[in-house]
Amino acid sequence: MKERGHRPGGPGADSLLDSLPVPFLEVGPQDEVLAANVAAEEFFAMSRHQIMQGGLRGLAPPDHPLFLLMEHIRQRGGRVTEHDVVFDSPRFHHANVTLQAADVPDHPGITVLTFHASMAARALDQQMSYRSAARSVAGMATMLAHEIRNPLSGIKGAAQLLEQAVTQSDKELATLICEEVDRIDALVERMGMFGEAQMHCRALNIHRILEHVRLLAMNGFARGIQIVERYDPSLPHVWGDRDRLVQVLINLIKNAAEAVRESGREGQITLLTSYRPGIRVAAPGTTQWRHLPLVVTVRDTGPGISPSVRPHLFEPFISTKANGRGLGLALVGKIMDDHGGTIDVESRPGRTEVSLFLPIADDAGGMMHAMPPA
């Protein structure tokens, strides 16, 4: 067992380190982990005990840049920063990590490490992109409803009259016109779901919603695919519209099921929930900040998302499916924007994760807001 006196900062440093939003490790001369904070537990998806028991070798393979960094620090001292580092294991995957290491002059052999993931910044950037896409889709839906459906009804009525007056051979053409009008009308109706509608938000148990969607999936579009649940039972209630959240999760799980089947091998879908403090976004047009600590993740073992498609994933009419219309994920983006939430997507061959960052309900039964960052 390590001695508490060797901790940089002395007794009482534990609570200070745990308050840091950045993953922190204190490492000894033999690559043993002497201390880890709460953010490190979340980053590596391990308990503090597991991290300390496995040491650095339990977090990264021997040829990982982390060990070159440690060697440099031990030989020369000072501080070193390494960008675009990847940490990957069956438990976690983090790309584009900035790794910082420094020695502790008053404690020879001790090195401190911090890990700065780009996820938060990427989530905020993606939120702006999804919000723009959502606005464009909503505007398109309004335009279609007003400018197309009225003349469509006139065209169909005229075709039905012609069908009664023309010869048998021409009736087929009139029928074709009616069928095409119905097809266009159905498309307009699908687009209508993007229009502005009143939200009915309240405090909701996200796990009950997930269980409802899981049962629908297992008895329908995800039949035969293993669905694993990894939930944090201590989560507070989410603030949202139940029906719309159900719609979002159905779309995401359906996409995950199709990806698993596309891989051509046995796979699984994992539903995860967690609490991650630190994600805050400004509410458009107000001085308020939204606190989005409740995270719902849908993970699949499919082939992954093509890098060329990923930046346009939530734009309307963008689809990787042979018969896809590209409206499902656009709708997900629209609903998340309506909730004031954000979306983060991580994908590589064999593992894709779509994470929803959602607001929580306060004690008064409304959305909990956060103080703006200092």
Side-chain angles (χ1 to χ4, degrees):
M1 182 179 293
K2 76 185 186 77
E3 299 178 16
R4 303 288 285 185
H6 287 281
R7 172 75 55 81
D14 282 336
S15 59
L16 178 62
L17 294 179
D18 282 341
S19 69
L20 290 175
V22 177
F24 171 95
L25 297 180
E26 176 190 340
V27 182
Q30 304 301 319
D31 289 337
E32 68 274 27
V33 175
L34 304 177
N37 66 353
V38 171
E41 291 182 297
E42 296 175 356
F43 185 83
F44 293 109
M46 298 182 189
S47 68
R48 196 172 321 206
H49 174 74
Q50 289 173 314
I51 294 173
M52 296 173 66
Q53 188 176 48
L56 286 189
R57 292 176 178 82
L59 305 177
D63 58 348
H64 194 274
L66 169 64
F67 296 103
L68 294 177
L69 202 67
M70 294 297 296
E71 184 179 350
H72 178 94
I73 287 292
R74 286 164 180 156
Q75 290 179 356
R76 304 182 184 182
R79 300 179 180 179
V80 179
T81 301
E82 181 80 17
H83 298 285
D84 298 325
V85 181
V86 176
F87 286 87
D88 186 43
S89 85
R91 288 175 175 263
F92 54 83
H93 175 78
H94 302 288
N96 303 318
V97 176
T98 296
L99 175 60
Q100 295 182 325
D103 64 346
V104 183
D106 294 339
H107 299 271
I110 300 296
T111 304
V112 293
L113 297 172
T114 57
F115 306 80
H116 305 263
S118 62
M119 183 277 296
R122 185 174 66 249
L124 298 182
D125 289 342
Q126 288 180 338
Q127 187 231 8
M128 298 305 295
S129 174
Y130 302 157
R131 179 177 295 162
S132 176
R135 281 199 300 262
S136 68
V137 174
M140 186 184 301
T142 303
M143 182 274 293
L144 285 171
H146 285 83
E147 301 298 330
I148 295 181
R149 296 194 95 168
N150 288 337
L152 275 181
S153 61
I155 294 171
K156 184 174 181 179
Q160 288 172 335
L161 290 173
L162 283 174
E163 191 175 10
Q164 299 173 8
V166 298
T167 63
Q168 184 63 36
S169 59
D170 290 336
K171 282 185 178 181
E172 295 180 2
L173 295 177
T175 301
L176 178 63
I177 293 173
C178 291
E179 290 175 350
E180 286 301 294
V181 167
D182 289 338
R183 184 181 64 83
I184 296 171
D185 188 66
L187 174 62
V188 174
E189 186 174 353
R190 285 195 298 271
M191 290 296 297
M193 67 181 65
F194 292 95
E196 299 300 330
Q198 186 176 359
M199 295 272 288
H200 301 284
C201 291
R202 56 192 175 91
L204 300 166
N205 185 325
I206 192 62
H207 296 132
R208 290 184 181 175
I209 295 175
L210 283 164
E211 180 61 20
H212 173 74
V213 175
R214 186 184 70 88
L215 289 173
L216 289 176
M218 291 180 64
N219 290 282
F221 52 82
R223 186 187 300 273
I225 298 176
Q226 182 185 17
I227 300 181
V228 178
E229 298 170 289
R230 294 183 182 173
Y231 299 154
D232 179 351
S234 65
L235 288 182
H237 283 78
V238 66
W239 177 253
D241 183 303
R242 181 187 182 279
D243 291 343
R244 296 194 181 194
L245 291 177
V246 166
Q247 194 169 14
V248 164
L249 291 167
I250 285 176
N251 282 341
L252 294 182
I253 297 173
K254 186 176 181 181
N255 285 345
E258 291 171 350
V260 168
R261 291 197 171 98
E262 183 184 342
S263 67
R265 56 185 174 80
E266 185 178 353
Q268 70 178 26
I269 298 170
T270 306
L271 307 178
L272 308 96
T273 61
S274 60
Y275 189 90
R276 300 185 202 173
I279 298 293
R280 294 176 293 185
V281 297
T286 73
T287 58
Q288 291 182 317
W289 286 75
R290 291 171 180 159
H291 187 210
L292 306 174
L294 196 150
V295 186
V296 179
T297 300
V298 178
R299 177 192 298 163
D300 68 69
T301 56
I305 302 169
S306 167
S308 62
V309 173
R310 203 173 305 166
H312 311 287
L313 202 56
F314 290 81
E315 295 178 11
F317 307 112
I318 301 295
S319 178
T320 59
K321 306 171 191 173
N323 298 315
R325 298 183 179 90
L327 296 179
L329 287 180
L331 178 61
V332 169
K334 170 68 167 60
I335 293 174
M336 286 301 295
D337 183 64
D338 290 342
H339 280 80
T342 68
I343 313 169
D344 183 64
V345 180
E346 292 188 4
S347 183
R348 67 185 192 275
R351 177 163 166 160
T352 295
E353 291 186 353
V354 181
S355 296
L356 309 176
F357 292 78
L358 292 161
I360 59 175
D362 60 21
D363 293 337
M367 180 194 296
M368 179 175 288
H369 293 278
M371 294 294 291

